[in-house]
Amino acid sequence: PQIPFKTHAAGYCSPCATATMKFTGLILLLPCLLTASARPHMDKTAFLRQQEFVNLRAWRNGATATIGSNQTEPNKDDFWYGWTTSAPDSTDYNEETTVSWMPCTVEGFFARIFCLLIASSPLILAALAEEQLTRAHLLESVALITWLGGILYLFCNVLKFRGPWDGFRPLTLVEAVYLISQILTTVGYGDITPAFPRGQVWVGLNVIVALLLYGSMVMEVVGIVQERFAKAMAQVNTDVDSTQPLKNWLPKVDNWSFVKTIAFFAFMASIGVVFWANFPGENKTWFQAVYMSIITLSTVGFGAFSATTEAGKVFGAFWMLFGVAALGALIGGFVEWMSAQKNLQSFYLFDHEQEFKSMLDACSKDGKTLSKLEFLQFAVKLTKGTDDKELAKIMERFAYLRKQDKSSTDWVRRTTLVDSEGPPL
């Protein structure tokens, strides 16, 4: 007998929850273990890193830092050189907007909203899905939330980054959200990067995991939302109109759908242009704002211009997420529109009249009339594109099932169809 989903899932989730907790603990524990194992190798050059931190700008440009008369530069051929550092973190932070009645800064509040938006993708999927969610959906949801929590912990507490500040340090929540949005949208400005190979390895691994988990989850959610929207907006006539032909031979070109995708992308790009050109502290001209908006939403992300204020980073996180989605809709709409245009133009280059006559000749035995069964075969060919081989295969299958039933009439038993054609129990 078929086991109900809830009972089956309940029996499965207990060991699954245990495995998930172990997996989560391992993910969160590995950075700590790696940090602890790497630091003993760096103790011998910790005092050199202290001076490196003070003289970082010269170190970035390749200049030699003044370390002392009795000291030498660290050996850059050493395998552990630059793996991480125990030097003090930079204290160079941008100011965030504070409001007396808020427990956090304004930028921090919207950064938390962004995290909730990413983490709520599984919940949106569960709310919108018309079909019952499977264990694969549950595991995917747990993995996505686990990844988000793990990468926020790594970015804000463990790994050290270089950016538009002096020195190297972990990121604030606002900066972490800004970098996560660049990862998810593959924009990659390059204005915030891991400072040492340990962080580079971890960020590289997290980029792959992020694109797999988030891409799969979000595309499924977007597909469900688009399907719901299409059903709500489509004006479908449920009445059967027998006066209309079975097939509309002339290909239809939907110009309006393409125009809507253009408008959506132009709207998102315009929002970016207005913000980057006018927000205090960003210091970008109108032409620079246009250039930055196009380069960002196209996911090219040269990095010549990027967000410089904390408010700009939070805005950029949301803007990149929705703007890149608008670009995807634009590209998809353009491909569909061009395909429809090509089909319309190629319609007049093909002899459809001969195709139609061949279809009629194949379905009519006497070449003059069609029985009900013959008309059904003709309609399937005309509307579904079924060819003669597929129809012959269907008829051969019917003949075989009738032979199994030892029936002398043109019918087969329902139980025979259940056993031979039904889905597995």
Side-chain angles (χ1 to χ4, degrees), residues 278-321:
N278 291 278
F279 191 81
E282 290 298 335
N283 301 324
K284 296 175 179 63
T285 66
W286 282 99
F287 288 107
Q288 290 172 344
V290 171
Y291 173 79
M292 177 181 174
S293 297
I294 295 175
I295 293 300
T296 299
L297 298 190
S298 63
T299 71
V300 173
F302 287 132
F305 301 100
S306 58
T308 56
T309 63
E310 299 306 286
K313 293 172 184 176
V314 174
F315 168 81
F318 286 94
W319 177 65
M320 284 186 284
L321 202 63

Short mmCIF file of all heavy atoms in Angstrom, two decimals, residues 278-321:
data_model
loop_
_atom_site.label_atom_id
_atom_site.label_comp_id
_atom_site.label_asym_id
_atom_site.label_seq_id
_atom_site.Cartn_x
_atom_site.Cartn_y
_atom_site.Cartn_z
N ASN A 278 22.75 60.51 -7.45
CA ASN A 278 22.21 61.52 -6.54
C ASN A 278 22.47 61.23 -5.07
O ASN A 278 22.39 62.17 -4.26
CB ASN A 278 20.69 61.66 -6.75
CG ASN A 278 20.35 62.28 -8.10
OD1 ASN A 278 20.37 63.49 -8.27
ND2 ASN A 278 20.04 61.43 -9.06
N PHE A 279 22.75 59.99 -4.70
CA PHE A 279 22.87 59.70 -3.27
C PHE A 279 24.15 60.33 -2.72
O PHE A 279 25.23 60.17 -3.30
CB PHE A 279 22.89 58.19 -3.02
CG PHE A 279 22.76 57.83 -1.57
CD1 PHE A 279 21.52 57.81 -0.96
CD2 PHE A 279 23.89 57.54 -0.80
CE1 PHE A 279 21.39 57.50 0.38
CE2 PHE A 279 23.77 57.23 0.53
CZ PHE A 279 22.52 57.20 1.13
N PRO A 280 24.07 61.03 -1.60
CA PRO A 280 25.27 61.69 -1.04
C PRO A 280 26.34 60.67 -0.66
O PRO A 280 26.08 59.66 -0.01
CB PRO A 280 24.72 62.39 0.21
CG PRO A 280 23.25 62.53 -0.02
CD PRO A 280 22.85 61.33 -0.84
N GLY A 281 27.55 60.96 -1.08
CA GLY A 281 28.67 60.11 -0.75
C GLY A 281 29.09 59.18 -1.87
O GLY A 281 30.23 58.68 -1.87
N GLU A 282 28.21 58.90 -2.82
CA GLU A 282 28.58 58.02 -3.92
C GLU A 282 29.45 58.75 -4.95
O GLU A 282 30.31 58.13 -5.59
CB GLU A 282 27.32 57.45 -4.59
CG GLU A 282 26.57 56.44 -3.74
CD GLU A 282 27.41 55.22 -3.42
OE1 GLU A 282 28.34 54.90 -4.19
OE2 GLU A 282 27.15 54.57 -2.38
N ASN A 283 29.20 60.03 -5.13
CA ASN A 283 30.08 60.87 -5.94
C ASN A 283 30.28 60.34 -7.36
O ASN A 283 31.41 60.16 -7.83
CB ASN A 283 31.45 61.03 -5.25
CG ASN A 283 31.33 61.66 -3.88
OD1 ASN A 283 30.50 62.53 -3.65
ND2 ASN A 283 32.15 61.19 -2.94
N LYS A 284 29.18 60.07 -8.03
CA LYS A 284 29.25 59.58 -9.41
C LYS A 284 28.47 60.53 -10.31
O LYS A 284 27.39 61.03 -9.94
CB LYS A 284 28.67 58.17 -9.52
CG LYS A 284 29.47 57.12 -8.74
CD LYS A 284 28.80 55.78 -8.78
CE LYS A 284 29.62 54.74 -8.02
NZ LYS A 284 29.76 55.04 -6.59
N THR A 285 29.01 60.79 -11.49
CA THR A 285 28.30 61.62 -12.45
C THR A 285 27.18 60.79 -13.09
O THR A 285 27.09 59.57 -12.91
CB THR A 285 29.26 62.12 -13.54
OG1 THR A 285 29.73 60.99 -14.31
CG2 THR A 285 30.46 62.83 -12.92
N TRP A 286 26.34 61.46 -13.86
CA TRP A 286 25.25 60.76 -14.52
C TRP A 286 25.78 59.73 -15.51
O TRP A 286 25.24 58.62 -15.60
CB TRP A 286 24.34 61.76 -15.23
CG TRP A 286 23.41 62.48 -14.29
CD1 TRP A 286 23.57 63.73 -13.75
CD2 TRP A 286 22.18 61.99 -13.75
NE1 TRP A 286 22.53 64.03 -12.92
CE2 TRP A 286 21.65 62.98 -12.91
CE3 TRP A 286 21.48 60.80 -13.91
CZ2 TRP A 286 20.46 62.83 -12.22
CZ3 TRP A 286 20.27 60.64 -13.22
CH2 TRP A 286 19.78 61.65 -12.40
N PHE A 287 26.83 60.07 -16.24
CA PHE A 287 27.38 59.12 -17.20
C PHE A 287 28.01 57.93 -16.48
O PHE A 287 27.90 56.79 -16.93
CB PHE A 287 28.40 59.82 -18.10
CG PHE A 287 27.79 60.77 -19.09
CD1 PHE A 287 27.90 62.14 -18.91
CD2 PHE A 287 27.09 60.29 -20.18
CE1 PHE A 287 27.33 63.02 -19.83
CE2 PHE A 287 26.51 61.15 -21.10
CZ PHE A 287 26.64 62.52 -20.92
N GLN A 288 28.69 58.20 -15.38
CA GLN A 288 29.26 57.11 -14.60
C GLN A 288 28.18 56.22 -14.01
O GLN A 288 28.33 54.99 -13.93
CB GLN A 288 30.15 57.67 -13.49
CG GLN A 288 31.42 58.31 -14.00
CD GLN A 288 32.19 59.03 -12.89
OE1 GLN A 288 31.65 59.31 -11.82
NE2 GLN A 288 33.46 59.34 -13.16
N ALA A 289 27.07 56.82 -13.58
CA ALA A 289 25.95 56.04 -13.03
C ALA A 289 25.32 55.17 -14.10
O ALA A 289 24.96 54.01 -13.84
CB ALA A 289 24.91 56.99 -12.43
N VAL A 290 25.18 55.71 -15.32
CA VAL A 290 24.64 54.91 -16.42
C VAL A 290 25.57 53.74 -16.73
O VAL A 290 25.14 52.58 -16.89
CB VAL A 290 24.42 55.78 -17.67
CG1 VAL A 290 24.08 54.92 -18.88
CG2 VAL A 290 23.32 56.80 -17.42
N TYR A 291 26.86 54.03 -16.81
CA TYR A 291 27.85 52.99 -17.09
C TYR A 291 27.84 51.91 -16.00
O TYR A 291 27.81 50.71 -16.31
CB TYR A 291 29.23 53.63 -17.19
CG TYR A 291 30.36 52.65 -17.31
CD1 TYR A 291 30.67 52.04 -18.51
CD2 TYR A 291 31.15 52.34 -16.19
CE1 TYR A 291 31.71 51.14 -18.62
CE2 TYR A 291 32.20 51.45 -16.29
CZ TYR A 291 32.48 50.86 -17.50
OH TYR A 291 33.51 49.96 -17.60
N MET A 292 27.81 52.32 -14.75
CA MET A 292 27.81 51.37 -13.64
C MET A 292 26.56 50.51 -13.65
O MET A 292 26.61 49.30 -13.40
CB MET A 292 27.94 52.12 -12.32
CG MET A 292 27.89 51.21 -11.09
SD MET A 292 28.03 52.14 -9.55
CE MET A 292 27.75 50.81 -8.37
N SER A 293 25.41 51.12 -13.93
CA SER A 293 24.15 50.37 -13.92
C SER A 293 24.14 49.31 -15.01
O SER A 293 23.77 48.16 -14.76
CB SER A 293 22.97 51.33 -14.11
OG SER A 293 22.89 52.24 -13.04
N ILE A 294 24.57 49.66 -16.20
CA ILE A 294 24.55 48.70 -17.31
C ILE A 294 25.56 47.59 -17.07
O ILE A 294 25.25 46.40 -17.25
CB ILE A 294 24.82 49.42 -18.65
CG1 ILE A 294 23.68 50.39 -18.95
CG2 ILE A 294 24.97 48.41 -19.77
CD1 ILE A 294 23.91 51.23 -20.19
N ILE A 295 26.76 47.95 -16.64
CA ILE A 295 27.80 46.95 -16.41
C ILE A 295 27.40 46.02 -15.26
O ILE A 295 27.66 44.81 -15.30
CB ILE A 295 29.15 47.64 -16.12
CG1 ILE A 295 29.64 48.37 -17.36
CG2 ILE A 295 30.18 46.64 -15.65
CD1 ILE A 295 29.85 47.47 -18.56
N THR A 296 26.75 46.56 -14.25
CA THR A 296 26.35 45.74 -13.10
C THR A 296 25.23 44.79 -13.47
O THR A 296 25.32 43.58 -13.22
CB THR A 296 25.91 46.64 -11.94
OG1 THR A 296 27.01 47.47 -11.54
CG2 THR A 296 25.46 45.79 -10.75
N LEU A 297 24.16 45.30 -14.06
CA LEU A 297 23.01 44.45 -14.35
C LEU A 297 23.30 43.46 -15.46
O LEU A 297 22.59 42.46 -15.59
CB LEU A 297 21.81 45.32 -14.73
CG LEU A 297 21.31 46.27 -13.64
CD1 LEU A 297 19.98 46.91 -14.03
CD2 LEU A 297 21.18 45.57 -12.30
N SER A 298 24.32 43.71 -16.25
CA SER A 298 24.73 42.72 -17.25
C SER A 298 25.65 41.66 -16.65
O SER A 298 26.09 40.76 -17.37
CB SER A 298 25.43 43.41 -18.42
OG SER A 298 26.63 44.04 -17.98
N THR A 299 25.94 41.78 -15.35
CA THR A 299 26.79 40.86 -14.57
C THR A 299 28.24 40.86 -15.05
O THR A 299 29.01 39.97 -14.70
CB THR A 299 26.27 39.40 -14.58
OG1 THR A 299 26.45 38.82 -15.88
CG2 THR A 299 24.81 39.35 -14.19
N VAL A 300 28.62 41.87 -15.86
CA VAL A 300 30.02 41.99 -16.27
C VAL A 300 30.86 42.43 -15.08
O VAL A 300 31.88 41.83 -14.75
CB VAL A 300 30.16 42.97 -17.45
CG1 VAL A 300 31.63 43.21 -17.76
CG2 VAL A 300 29.44 42.41 -18.66
N GLY A 301 30.42 43.51 -14.41
CA GLY A 301 31.07 43.94 -13.18
C GLY A 301 32.54 44.23 -13.29
O GLY A 301 33.36 43.63 -12.61
N PHE A 302 32.93 45.19 -14.14
CA PHE A 302 34.33 45.53 -14.29
C PHE A 302 34.95 46.01 -12.98
O PHE A 302 36.12 45.78 -12.71
CB PHE A 302 34.51 46.61 -15.36
CG PHE A 302 34.32 46.09 -16.76
CD1 PHE A 302 33.52 46.77 -17.66
CD2 PHE A 302 34.94 44.93 -17.18
CE1 PHE A 302 33.35 46.31 -18.95
CE2 PHE A 302 34.77 44.46 -18.47
CZ PHE A 302 33.97 45.15 -19.35
N GLY A 303 34.17 46.70 -12.17
CA GLY A 303 34.68 47.17 -10.89
C GLY A 303 35.26 48.56 -10.92
O GLY A 303 35.80 49.03 -9.92
N ALA A 304 35.17 49.26 -12.07
CA ALA A 304 35.67 50.63 -12.12
C ALA A 304 34.89 51.53 -11.18
O ALA A 304 35.44 52.47 -10.60
CB ALA A 304 35.60 51.16 -13.56
N PHE A 305 33.59 51.24 -11.04
CA PHE A 305 32.75 51.97 -10.11
C PHE A 305 31.97 50.96 -9.27
O PHE A 305 31.46 49.97 -9.79
CB PHE A 305 31.77 52.89 -10.86
CG PHE A 305 32.44 53.90 -11.74
CD1 PHE A 305 32.54 53.68 -13.10
CD2 PHE A 305 32.98 55.06 -11.20
CE1 PHE A 305 33.16 54.60 -13.93
CE2 PHE A 305 33.61 55.98 -12.02
CZ PHE A 305 33.70 55.76 -13.38
N SER A 306 31.89 51.24 -7.99
CA SER A 306 31.15 50.37 -7.07
C SER A 306 30.62 51.22 -5.93
O SER A 306 30.93 52.42 -5.84
CB SER A 306 32.05 49.24 -6.54
OG SER A 306 33.19 49.78 -5.89
N ALA A 307 29.83 50.61 -5.06
CA ALA A 307 29.25 51.34 -3.93
C ALA A 307 30.34 51.77 -2.97
O ALA A 307 31.25 51.00 -2.65
CB ALA A 307 28.22 50.47 -3.23
N THR A 308 30.27 53.00 -2.48
CA THR A 308 31.27 53.52 -1.53
C THR A 308 30.68 53.79 -0.16
O THR A 308 31.43 53.86 0.81
CB THR A 308 31.88 54.82 -2.08
OG1 THR A 308 30.83 55.76 -2.35
CG2 THR A 308 32.64 54.54 -3.37
N THR A 309 29.37 53.95 -0.06
CA THR A 309 28.73 54.19 1.23
C THR A 309 28.05 52.92 1.71
O THR A 309 27.77 52.01 0.92
CB THR A 309 27.69 55.32 1.13
OG1 THR A 309 26.65 54.93 0.22
CG2 THR A 309 28.34 56.60 0.61
N GLU A 310 27.77 52.86 3.00
CA GLU A 310 27.10 51.68 3.56
C GLU A 310 25.67 51.59 3.05
O GLU A 310 25.17 50.50 2.77
CB GLU A 310 27.11 51.74 5.10
CG GLU A 310 28.51 51.77 5.69
CD GLU A 310 29.35 50.62 5.19
OE1 GLU A 310 29.12 49.48 5.63
OE2 GLU A 310 30.25 50.86 4.35
N ALA A 311 25.01 52.74 2.90
CA ALA A 311 23.65 52.72 2.34
C ALA A 311 23.69 52.26 0.89
O ALA A 311 22.80 51.52 0.43
CB ALA A 311 23.03 54.11 2.43
N GLY A 312 24.71 52.67 0.15
CA GLY A 312 24.85 52.22 -1.23
C GLY A 312 25.08 50.73 -1.33
O GLY A 312 24.60 50.08 -2.27
N LYS A 313 25.79 50.14 -0.37
CA LYS A 313 26.02 48.70 -0.39
C LYS A 313 24.73 47.93 -0.14
O LYS A 313 24.47 46.91 -0.78
CB LYS A 313 27.08 48.33 0.65
CG LYS A 313 28.47 48.87 0.32
CD LYS A 313 29.46 48.67 1.45
CE LYS A 313 30.80 49.31 1.11
NZ LYS A 313 31.76 49.22 2.23
N VAL A 314 23.92 48.40 0.80
CA VAL A 314 22.64 47.73 1.06
C VAL A 314 21.72 47.88 -0.14
O VAL A 314 21.07 46.92 -0.57
CB VAL A 314 21.99 48.30 2.33
CG1 VAL A 314 20.59 47.72 2.52
CG2 VAL A 314 22.84 47.99 3.54
N PHE A 315 21.64 49.09 -0.67
CA PHE A 315 20.83 49.30 -1.87
C PHE A 315 21.33 48.41 -3.01
O PHE A 315 20.53 47.78 -3.72
CB PHE A 315 20.87 50.77 -2.30
CG PHE A 315 20.31 51.02 -3.66
CD1 PHE A 315 18.94 51.13 -3.86
CD2 PHE A 315 21.15 51.14 -4.78
CE1 PHE A 315 18.42 51.36 -5.13
CE2 PHE A 315 20.63 51.35 -6.04
CZ PHE A 315 19.27 51.47 -6.21
N GLY A 316 22.64 48.36 -3.19
CA GLY A 316 23.21 47.54 -4.25
C GLY A 316 22.89 46.07 -4.11
O GLY A 316 22.70 45.36 -5.10
N ALA A 317 22.83 45.58 -2.87
CA ALA A 317 22.51 44.16 -2.64
C ALA A 317 21.13 43.82 -3.20
O ALA A 317 20.97 42.83 -3.92
CB ALA A 317 22.60 43.84 -1.15
N PHE A 318 20.13 44.64 -2.86
CA PHE A 318 18.78 44.40 -3.38
C PHE A 318 18.71 44.68 -4.88
O PHE A 318 18.10 43.92 -5.64
CB PHE A 318 17.77 45.29 -2.65
CG PHE A 318 17.48 44.87 -1.25
CD1 PHE A 318 18.16 45.41 -0.17
CD2 PHE A 318 16.51 43.91 -0.99
CE1 PHE A 318 17.89 45.02 1.12
CE2 PHE A 318 16.21 43.51 0.31
CZ PHE A 318 16.92 44.07 1.37
N TRP A 319 19.32 45.77 -5.30
CA TRP A 319 19.25 46.20 -6.70
C TRP A 319 19.88 45.17 -7.62
O TRP A 319 19.34 44.86 -8.68
CB TRP A 319 19.93 47.56 -6.83
CG TRP A 319 20.00 48.10 -8.22
CD1 TRP A 319 18.95 48.47 -9.01
CD2 TRP A 319 21.18 48.34 -8.97
NE1 TRP A 319 19.43 48.94 -10.22
CE2 TRP A 319 20.79 48.85 -10.22
CE3 TRP A 319 22.54 48.16 -8.71
CZ2 TRP A 319 21.71 49.21 -11.21
CZ3 TRP A 319 23.45 48.52 -9.68
CH2 TRP A 319 23.04 49.03 -10.91
N MET A 320 21.03 44.63 -7.25
CA MET A 320 21.67 43.61 -8.07
C MET A 320 20.80 42.37 -8.18
O MET A 320 20.67 41.76 -9.25
CB MET A 320 23.05 43.25 -7.50
CG MET A 320 24.12 44.27 -7.77
SD MET A 320 25.76 43.72 -7.23
CE MET A 320 25.63 43.96 -5.46
N LEU A 321 20.19 41.96 -7.06
CA LEU A 321 19.39 40.75 -7.04
C LEU A 321 18.21 40.84 -8.00
O LEU A 321 17.97 39.95 -8.82
CB LEU A 321 18.91 40.47 -5.61
CG LEU A 321 18.51 39.04 -5.28
CD1 LEU A 321 19.70 38.10 -5.41
CD2 LEU A 321 17.95 38.97 -3.87
#
